[in-house]
């Protein structure tokens, strides 16, 4: 019996010694020695106590323009991805973006903040009420939808006798009218816009003061163009194949001919951002200026030419500078 008791004491001592060499554990079985071998960055699913990245943001809404300025309050991150939750699938990787919504509504905005393989995300609802004038304009050759839009009496015209403009966040619309005999045989459309509001960038045209238009994109005859490097390596209007930058509508009623043209601003921006001049030594800096698009206003000119290239109508009159349009001034319920 004494011999058996000695054996029992020896076995117990060995057992206790073996247990004392292991690290202590918490009640959940986690290792409290400060090391995380599965995720050394510490951002795991065991709760927020070891969390190194926290995503958060605030925002302010401009009810006049629909612009929302986002202030990033995330900590521990160096990369950011925003999804703005609208029909355009708006997206940004800027730290503190400003995003323009085209319609009133409630939008779910999601921010993913990350560093390396660690990340955190947060979503908030942005409630926007845009206090803008509403229109319902379609480019369909019916002009009743223009009747409540005021005439642009501030722009001197040639050939044309009436000009109206509407600009939303997505499109620039113009309405032109003239006596039927003035525009008869005129089918060559030229509609151009200076979207960075900078005379030092953009195509040159002799009909404007100093030859400067500032215009970065245009429709000319049946083609869509961006100011850039052409196939012959010269700077000028670079053709954008199979792209319809401008949609046209027209009608002749009694003795008057009416024109309505719509420029797609999202497509225009894509033209500018993917300009072939980027990456070409000596041109990169020059064309980078045209990427700084103005979100508040643009300059526009519109011509209509006959088959012999003579001018049937111009807005503005030749010799005058392109006229301004205020971007985002209207909401078009037909968009």
């Amino acid at each position: 019996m004494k011999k058996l008791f000695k054996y029992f004491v020896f076995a117990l001592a060995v057992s206790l010694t073996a247990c004392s060499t292991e690290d202590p554990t918490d009640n959940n079985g986690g290792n409290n020695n400060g090391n995380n071998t599965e995720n050394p960055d510490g951002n795991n699913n065991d709760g927020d106590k070891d969390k190194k990245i926290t995503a958060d943001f605030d925002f302010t809404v401009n009810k006049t323009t629909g612009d929302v300025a986002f202030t990033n309050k995330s900590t521990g991150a160096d990369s950011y991805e925003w999804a703005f939750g609208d029909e355009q699938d708006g997206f940004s990787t800027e730290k503190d973006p400003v995003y323009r919504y085209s319609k009133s509504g409630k939008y779910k905005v999601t921010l993913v903040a990350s560093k390396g393989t660690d990340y955190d995300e947060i979503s908030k609802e942005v409630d926007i009420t845009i206090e803008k004038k509403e229109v319902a304009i379609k480019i369909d050759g019916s002009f009743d939808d223009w009747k409540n839009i005021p005439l642009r009496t501030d722009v001197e015209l040639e050939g044309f006798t009436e000009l109206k403009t509407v600009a939303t966040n997505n499109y620039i619309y113009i309405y032109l009218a003239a006596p039927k005999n003035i525009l008869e045989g005129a089918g060559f459309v030229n509609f151009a816009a200076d979207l960075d509001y900078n005379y030092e960038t953009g195509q040159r045209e002799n009909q404007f003061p100093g030859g400067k238009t500032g215009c970065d994109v245009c429709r000319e005859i049946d083609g869509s163009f961006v100011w850039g490097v052409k196939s012959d390596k010269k700077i000028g209007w670079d053709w954008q194949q199979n792209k319809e930058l401008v949609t046209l509508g027209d009608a002749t009623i009694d003795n008057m001919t009416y024109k309505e043209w719509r420029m797609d601003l999202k497509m225009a921006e894509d033209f500018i951002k993917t300009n072939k001049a980027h990456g070409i030594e000596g041109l990169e800096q020059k064309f980078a200026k045209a990427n700084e698009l103005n979100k508040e206003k643009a300059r526009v000119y519109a011509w209509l030419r006959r088959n012999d290239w003579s001018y049937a109508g111009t807005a503005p009159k030749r010799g005058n500078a392109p006229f301004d349009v205020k971007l985002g001034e209207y909401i078009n319920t037909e968009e």
Side-chain angles (χ1 to χ4, degrees), residues 111-169:
L111 167 63
V112 178
S114 62
K115 184 176 182 179
T117 58
D118 285 347
Y119 71 93
D120 188 33
E121 70 177 78
I122 187 172
S123 296
K124 294 185 180 182
E125 184 179 83
V126 178
D127 191 353
I128 298 176
T129 301
I130 304 175
E131 298 172 352
K132 297 182 182 181
K133 294 170 280 189
E134 285 194 356
V135 294
I137 294 176
K138 292 181 179 180
I139 306 300
D140 57 3
S142 175
F143 289 80
D144 287 343
D145 44 11
W146 285 93
K147 63 183 179 182
N148 293 324
I149 307 299
L151 289 169
R152 290 288 302 266
T153 57
D154 60 315
V155 181
E156 187 177 6
L157 305 175
E158 180 180 336
F160 296 122
T161 55
E162 295 179 1
L163 167 67
K164 298 180 180 183
T165 61
V166 164
T168 67
N169 291 337

Coordinates of all heavy atoms in Angstrom, one line a residue, residues 111-169:
L111 N -18.7 52.8 -47.1 CA -17.3 53.1 -47.1 C -16.6 51.8 -46.6 O -16.9 51.3 -45.5 CB -16.9 54.3 -46.2 CG -15.5 54.4 -45.9 CD1 -14.6 54.7 -47.1 CD2 -15.3 55.6 -44.8
V112 N -15.6 51.4 -47.4 CA -14.7 50.3 -47.0 C -13.3 50.9 -46.7 O -12.7 51.4 -47.7 CB -14.6 49.1 -48.0 CG1 -13.6 48.1 -47.5 CG2 -16.0 48.5 -48.2
A113 N -12.9 50.9 -45.5 CA -11.5 51.4 -45.2 C -10.6 50.2 -45.0 O -10.9 49.2 -44.3 CB -11.6 52.2 -43.9
S114 N -9.4 50.2 -45.5 CA -8.5 49.1 -45.5 C -7.0 49.5 -45.4 O -6.7 50.6 -45.7 CB -8.7 48.2 -46.7 OG -8.4 48.9 -47.9
K115 N -6.3 48.5 -44.9 CA -4.8 48.6 -45.0 C -4.3 47.2 -45.1 O -4.5 46.4 -44.2 CB -4.3 49.3 -43.7 CG -2.8 49.5 -43.7 CD -2.3 50.3 -42.5 CE -0.8 50.6 -42.6 NZ -0.3 51.4 -41.5
G116 N -3.6 47.0 -46.1 CA -3.1 45.6 -46.4 C -4.3 44.7 -46.5 O -5.3 45.0 -47.3
T117 N -4.4 43.6 -45.8 CA -5.5 42.7 -45.9 C -6.6 43.0 -44.8 O -7.6 42.3 -44.8 CB -5.0 41.2 -45.7 OG1 -4.3 41.1 -44.4 CG2 -4.0 40.8 -46.8
D118 N -6.3 43.9 -43.9 CA -7.3 44.3 -42.9 C -8.3 45.3 -43.5 O -7.9 46.2 -44.3 CB -6.6 44.8 -41.7 CG -5.9 43.8 -40.9 OD1 -6.2 42.6 -41.1 OD2 -5.1 44.1 -40.0
Y119 N -9.5 45.3 -43.0 CA -10.5 46.3 -43.5 C -11.6 46.4 -42.5 O -11.8 45.5 -41.6 CB -11.0 45.9 -44.9 CG -12.0 44.7 -44.9 CD1 -13.3 44.8 -44.7 CD2 -11.4 43.4 -45.0 CE1 -14.2 43.8 -44.7 CE2 -12.3 42.3 -44.9 CZ -13.6 42.5 -44.8 OH -14.5 41.4 -44.8
D120 N -12.4 47.4 -42.6 CA -13.6 47.6 -41.9 C -14.6 48.4 -42.8 O -14.1 49.1 -43.7 CB -13.4 48.4 -40.6 CG -14.7 48.4 -39.7 OD1 -15.4 47.4 -39.8 OD2 -14.9 49.4 -39.0
E121 N -15.8 48.2 -42.7 CA -16.8 48.9 -43.5 C -18.0 49.4 -42.7 O -18.3 48.9 -41.7 CB -17.3 48.0 -44.7 CG -18.2 46.9 -44.3 CD -18.7 46.2 -45.6 OE1 -17.9 45.4 -46.2 OE2 -19.8 46.4 -46.0
I122 N -18.6 50.5 -43.3 CA -19.7 51.1 -42.6 C -20.7 51.6 -43.7 O -20.2 52.1 -44.7 CB -19.3 52.2 -41.6 CG1 -20.5 52.7 -40.8 CG2 -18.6 53.3 -42.4 CD1 -20.1 53.7 -39.7
S123 N -21.9 51.5 -43.4 CA -22.9 52.1 -44.3 C -23.8 53.1 -43.6 O -24.2 52.9 -42.4 CB -23.8 51.0 -45.0 OG -23.0 50.1 -45.8
K124 N -24.2 54.2 -44.3 CA -25.1 55.2 -43.7 C -26.1 55.6 -44.8 O -25.8 55.5 -46.0 CB -24.3 56.4 -43.2 CG -23.4 56.1 -42.0 CD -22.8 57.4 -41.5 CE -21.9 57.1 -40.3 NZ -21.3 58.4 -39.7
E125 N -27.2 56.0 -44.3 CA -28.2 56.5 -45.3 C -28.1 58.0 -45.4 O -28.0 58.8 -44.5 CB -29.6 56.2 -44.7 CG -30.7 56.6 -45.7 CD -32.1 56.3 -45.2 OE1 -32.7 57.1 -44.4 OE2 -32.6 55.2 -45.6
V126 N -28.0 58.4 -46.7 CA -27.9 59.9 -47.0 C -29.3 60.3 -47.6 O -29.7 59.8 -48.6 CB -26.8 60.1 -48.0 CG1 -26.8 61.6 -48.3 CG2 -25.5 59.7 -47.4
D127 N -30.0 61.2 -46.9 CA -31.3 61.7 -47.4 C -31.1 63.0 -48.1 O -30.7 64.0 -47.4 CB -32.2 61.8 -46.1 CG -33.6 62.0 -46.5 OD1 -33.9 62.2 -47.7 OD2 -34.5 62.0 -45.6
I128 N -31.4 63.1 -49.3 CA -31.2 64.2 -50.1 C -32.5 64.8 -50.7 O -33.3 64.1 -51.3 CB -30.2 63.9 -51.3 CG1 -28.9 63.4 -50.8 CG2 -30.0 65.1 -52.2 CD1 -27.9 63.0 -51.8
T129 N -32.7 66.1 -50.5 CA -33.7 66.8 -51.1 C -33.1 68.0 -51.9 O -32.5 68.9 -51.3 CB -34.7 67.4 -50.1 OG1 -35.3 66.4 -49.3 CG2 -35.8 68.2 -50.7
I130 N -33.1 67.8 -53.2 CA -32.5 68.8 -54.1 C -33.5 69.9 -54.5 O -34.6 69.6 -55.1 CB -31.9 68.2 -55.3 CG1 -30.9 67.0 -54.9 CG2 -31.2 69.2 -56.2 CD1 -30.4 66.2 -56.1
E131 N -33.2 71.1 -54.2 CA -34.1 72.2 -54.5 C -33.8 72.8 -55.8 O -33.1 73.8 -55.9 CB -34.1 73.3 -53.3 CG -34.5 72.7 -52.0 CD -34.2 73.7 -50.8 OE1 -33.5 74.7 -51.1 OE2 -34.6 73.3 -49.7
K132 N -34.2 72.1 -56.9 CA -34.0 72.6 -58.2 C -35.3 72.6 -59.0 O -36.3 72.0 -58.7 CB -33.0 71.6 -58.9 CG -31.6 71.5 -58.3 CD -30.8 70.6 -59.1 CE -29.4 70.4 -58.5 NZ -28.5 69.6 -59.3
K133 N -35.2 73.4 -60.2 CA -36.3 73.4 -61.1 C -36.5 72.1 -61.8 O -35.5 71.5 -62.3 CB -36.2 74.6 -62.0 CG -36.2 76.0 -61.4 CD -35.8 77.1 -62.3 CE -34.3 77.1 -62.4 NZ -33.8 78.3 -63.2
E134 N -37.7 71.6 -61.9 CA -37.9 70.3 -62.6 C -38.4 70.6 -64.0 O -39.2 71.5 -64.3 CB -38.9 69.5 -61.9 CG -38.4 68.8 -60.6 CD -39.3 67.7 -60.1 OE1 -40.4 67.5 -60.7 OE2 -38.9 67.0 -59.2
V135 N -37.9 69.8 -65.0 CA -38.4 69.8 -66.4 C -38.6 68.4 -66.8 O -38.3 67.4 -66.1 CB -37.3 70.5 -67.3 CG1 -37.2 71.9 -67.0 CG2 -36.0 69.7 -67.2
A136 N -39.3 68.2 -67.9 CA -39.6 66.9 -68.5 C -39.3 66.9 -70.0 O -40.2 66.9 -70.8 CB -41.0 66.5 -68.2
I137 N -38.0 67.0 -70.3 CA -37.6 67.1 -71.7 C -37.1 65.8 -72.3 O -36.3 65.1 -71.7 CB -36.5 68.2 -71.8 CG1 -37.0 69.6 -71.4 CG2 -35.9 68.2 -73.2 CD1 -35.9 70.6 -71.4
K138 N -37.7 65.5 -73.4 CA -37.3 64.3 -74.2 C -36.8 64.9 -75.6 O -37.3 65.8 -76.1 CB -38.4 63.4 -74.5 CG -39.0 62.6 -73.3 CD -40.1 61.7 -73.7 CE -40.7 60.9 -72.6 NZ -41.7 60.0 -73.0
I139 N -35.8 64.2 -76.1 CA -35.3 64.5 -77.5 C -36.0 63.7 -78.4 O -35.6 62.6 -78.8 CB -33.8 64.3 -77.6 CG1 -33.0 65.0 -76.5 CG2 -33.3 64.7 -79.0 CD1 -33.2 66.5 -76.5
D140 N -37.2 64.2 -78.8 CA -38.1 63.3 -79.6 C -38.8 64.1 -80.8 O -39.7 63.6 -81.4 CB -39.2 62.7 -78.7 CG -40.0 63.8 -77.9 OD1 -39.7 65.0 -78.1 OD2 -40.9 63.4 -77.1
G141 N -38.3 65.4 -81.0 CA -38.9 66.2 -82.1 C -40.2 66.8 -81.7 O -40.9 67.5 -82.5
S142 N -40.6 66.7 -80.4 CA -41.8 67.4 -79.9 C -41.3 68.5 -79.0 O -40.6 68.2 -78.0 CB -42.7 66.4 -79.1 OG -43.8 67.1 -78.5
F143 N -41.8 69.7 -79.2 CA -41.1 70.9 -78.5 C -42.0 71.5 -77.5 O -41.7 72.5 -76.9 CB -40.7 71.9 -79.5 CG -39.5 71.4 -80.3 CD1 -39.7 70.6 -81.4 CD2 -38.2 71.8 -80.0 CE1 -38.6 70.1 -82.1 CE2 -37.1 71.3 -80.7 CZ -37.3 70.5 -81.8
D144 N -43.2 70.9 -77.1 CA -44.0 71.4 -76.1 C -43.3 71.4 -74.7 O -43.6 72.3 -73.9 CB -45.3 70.6 -76.0 CG -46.3 70.9 -77.2 OD1 -46.1 71.9 -77.8 OD2 -47.2 70.1 -77.4
D145 N -42.4 70.5 -74.5 CA -41.7 70.4 -73.2 C -40.7 71.5 -73.0 O -40.2 71.7 -71.9 CB -41.0 69.0 -73.1 CG -40.3 68.6 -74.3 OD1 -40.1 69.4 -75.2 OD2 -39.8 67.4 -74.4
W146 N -40.5 72.4 -74.0 CA -39.6 73.5 -73.9 C -40.3 74.8 -73.6 O -39.7 75.8 -73.4 CB -38.8 73.7 -75.2 CG -37.7 72.7 -75.4 CD1 -37.7 71.5 -76.1 CD2 -36.3 72.8 -74.9 NE1 -36.5 70.9 -76.0 CE2 -35.6 71.7 -75.3 CE3 -35.7 73.8 -74.1 CZ2 -34.3 71.5 -75.0 CZ3 -34.3 73.6 -73.8 CH2 -33.7 72.4 -74.3
K147 N -41.7 74.8 -73.6 CA -42.4 76.1 -73.6 C -42.2 76.9 -72.4 O -42.3 78.1 -72.4 CB -43.9 75.8 -73.8 CG -44.6 75.0 -72.8 CD -46.0 74.7 -73.1 CE -46.7 73.8 -72.1 NZ -48.1 73.5 -72.4
N148 N -41.9 76.3 -71.2 CA -41.7 77.0 -70.0 C -40.3 77.4 -69.7 O -40.0 78.0 -68.6 CB -42.3 76.2 -68.8 CG -43.8 76.1 -68.9 OD1 -44.5 77.0 -69.4 ND2 -44.3 75.0 -68.5
I149 N -39.4 77.0 -70.6 CA -38.0 77.3 -70.4 C -37.7 78.7 -71.0 O -38.1 79.0 -72.1 CB -37.0 76.3 -71.1 CG1 -37.4 74.9 -70.7 CG2 -35.6 76.6 -70.9 CD1 -37.2 74.6 -69.2
P150 N -37.1 79.6 -70.3 CA -36.9 81.0 -70.8 C -35.9 81.1 -71.9 O -35.0 80.3 -72.0 CB -36.4 81.8 -69.5 CG -35.8 80.7 -68.7 CD -36.6 79.5 -68.9
L151 N -36.1 82.1 -72.8 CA -35.2 82.3 -73.9 C -33.9 82.9 -73.3 O -33.9 83.6 -72.3 CB -35.8 83.3 -74.9 CG -36.9 82.8 -75.8 CD1 -37.6 84.0 -76.5 CD2 -36.4 81.8 -76.8
R152 N -32.8 82.5 -74.0 CA -31.5 83.1 -73.6 C -31.2 84.4 -74.4 O -30.6 84.4 -75.5 CB -30.4 82.1 -73.9 CG -30.3 80.8 -73.0 CD -29.9 81.2 -71.6 NE -28.5 81.8 -71.6 CZ -27.4 81.1 -71.4 NH1 -27.5 79.8 -71.3 NH2 -26.2 81.7 -71.4
T153 N -31.7 85.5 -73.8 CA -31.5 86.8 -74.5 C -30.2 87.4 -74.3 O -29.8 88.4 -74.9 CB -32.6 87.8 -74.0 OG1 -32.5 87.9 -72.5 CG2 -34.0 87.3 -74.3
D154 N -29.3 86.7 -73.4 CA -28.0 87.2 -73.2 C -27.0 86.7 -74.2 O -25.8 87.2 -74.2 CB -27.5 86.7 -71.8 CG -27.5 85.2 -71.7 OD1 -28.5 84.6 -72.1 OD2 -26.5 84.6 -71.2
V155 N -27.4 85.9 -75.2 CA -26.5 85.3 -76.2 C -26.9 85.9 -77.5 O -28.0 85.7 -78.0 CB -26.5 83.8 -76.2 CG1 -25.6 83.3 -77.2 CG2 -26.2 83.2 -74.8
E156 N -25.9 86.6 -78.2 CA -26.2 87.1 -79.5 C -26.1 85.9 -80.5 O -25.1 85.2 -80.5 CB -25.2 88.2 -79.9 CG -25.5 88.9 -81.2 CD -24.5 90.0 -81.5 OE1 -23.5 90.2 -80.7 OE2 -24.7 90.7 -82.5
L157 N -27.1 85.8 -81.4 CA -27.2 84.7 -82.3 C -27.0 85.2 -83.8 O -27.1 86.3 -84.1 CB -28.6 84.1 -82.2 CG -29.0 83.6 -80.8 CD1 -30.5 83.1 -80.9 CD2 -28.1 82.5 -80.3
E158 N -26.6 84.2 -84.6 CA -26.5 84.4 -86.1 C -27.3 83.4 -86.8 O -27.0 82.2 -86.6 CB -25.0 84.4 -86.5 CG -24.8 84.6 -87.9 CD -23.3 84.6 -88.3 OE1 -22.4 84.8 -87.4 OE2 -23.0 84.3 -89.5
G159 N -28.3 83.8 -87.6 CA -29.1 82.8 -88.3 C -30.2 82.3 -87.4 O -31.4 82.5 -87.7
F160 N -29.9 81.7 -86.3 CA -30.9 81.3 -85.3 C -31.6 82.5 -84.7 O -30.9 83.6 -84.5 CB -30.3 80.5 -84.1 CG -29.6 79.2 -84.6 CD1 -28.3 78.9 -84.3 CD2 -30.4 78.2 -85.2 CE1 -27.7 77.7 -84.7 CE2 -29.8 77.0 -85.6 CZ -28.5 76.8 -85.3
T161 N -32.8 82.4 -84.3 CA -33.6 83.5 -83.7 C -34.0 83.2 -82.3 O -34.3 84.1 -81.5 CB -34.9 83.8 -84.5 OG1 -35.6 82.6 -84.6 CG2 -34.5 84.3 -85.9
E162 N -33.9 81.9 -81.8 CA -34.2 81.6 -80.5 C -33.2 80.6 -79.9 O -32.7 79.7 -80.6 CB -35.6 81.0 -80.4 CG -36.7 81.9 -80.7 CD -38.1 81.2 -80.7 OE1 -38.2 80.0 -80.3 OE2 -39.1 81.9 -81.0
L163 N -32.8 80.7 -78.6 CA -32.0 79.8 -78.0 C -32.5 79.6 -76.5 O -32.8 80.6 -75.8 CB -30.5 80.4 -77.9 CG -29.5 79.6 -77.0 CD1 -29.2 78.2 -77.5 CD2 -28.3 80.4 -76.8
K164 N -32.6 78.3 -76.1 CA -32.9 78.0 -74.7 C -31.9 76.9 -74.3 O -31.4 76.1 -75.1 CB -34.3 77.4 -74.6 CG -35.4 78.4 -75.0 CD -36.8 77.8 -74.8 CE -37.9 78.8 -75.2 NZ -39.2 78.2 -75.0
T165 N -31.6 76.9 -73.0 CA -30.6 75.9 -72.5 C -31.2 75.3 -71.2 O -31.8 76.0 -70.4 CB -29.2 76.5 -72.3 OG1 -29.3 77.5 -71.3 CG2 -28.6 77.0 -73.5
V166 N -30.9 74.0 -71.0 CA -31.1 73.3 -69.7 C -29.9 72.4 -69.5 O -29.5 71.8 -70.4 CB -32.4 72.5 -69.9 CG1 -32.5 71.4 -68.7 CG2 -33.7 73.3 -69.9
A167 N -29.5 72.5 -68.2 CA -28.3 71.6 -67.9 C -28.7 70.9 -66.6 O -29.0 71.6 -65.6 CB -27.0 72.4 -67.8
T168 N -28.6 69.6 -66.6 CA -28.7 68.8 -65.4 C -27.3 68.3 -65.0 O -26.3 68.8 -65.5 CB -29.6 67.6 -65.6 OG1 -28.9 66.7 -66.5 CG2 -30.9 68.0 -66.2
N169 N -27.2 67.4 -64.0 CA -25.9 66.9 -63.7 C -25.4 65.9 -64.7 O -24.2 65.6 -64.8 CB -26.0 66.1 -62.3 CG -26.2 67.0 -61.2 OD1 -25.9 68.2 -61.3 ND2 -26.7 66.5 -60.1

